[in-house]
Amino acid sequence: MELSDLKVFLAIAEERNISRAAERLGYVQSNVTARIRKLEEELGLPLFYRHPKGVTLTDKGVTFSEYAKNILNLSEEAVQSR
């Protein structure tokens, strides 16, 4: 898992749509989809429910989003503390 994967995950969670998250991040949609599938495989659980008009977080996805936010915040603090 990489920090960029967490950023992708959080963008999707915020946008509730993979295509909009991809556009926001400047990535192609297929790349974003592949990265989330890889992350879900790595964690061994689904993070999103897929719907025809977008996605919503699973219960585990909600929990993971809090950890992802904390990890990214700590990473930024570490960079700024140099």
Side-chain angles (χ1 to χ4, degrees):
M1 175 181 331
E2 298 180 19
L3 292 178
S4 60
D5 294 334
L6 300 180
K7 291 176 184 177
V8 168
F9 166 75
L10 289 175
I12 295 170
E14 291 167 7
E15 295 291 339
R16 296 182 181 189
N17 184 286
I18 293 173
S19 296
R20 284 196 303 263
E23 184 177 321
R24 174 174 134 186
L25 296 167
Y27 296 146
V28 294
Q29 183 267 333
S30 59
N31 181 339
V32 171
T33 299
R35 291 176 75 170
I36 288 303
R37 283 192 181 136
K38 181 180 170 234
L39 182 60
E40 289 176 323
E41 287 175 16
E42 189 176 333
L43 295 171
L45 51 91
L47 297 170
F48 295 99
Y49 294 114
R50 275 89 169 157
H51 309 286
K53 294 187 177 186
V55 296
T56 54
L57 288 169
T58 63
D59 290 341
K60 297 290 184 178
V62 171
T63 300
F64 185 74
S65 71
E66 294 304 315
Y67 284 106
K69 290 174 191 174
N70 288 336
I71 290 167
L72 290 174
N73 286 336
L74 287 170
S75 172
E76 185 62 31
E77 284 180 31
V79 169
Q80 290 180 5
S81 71
R82 307 190 286 147

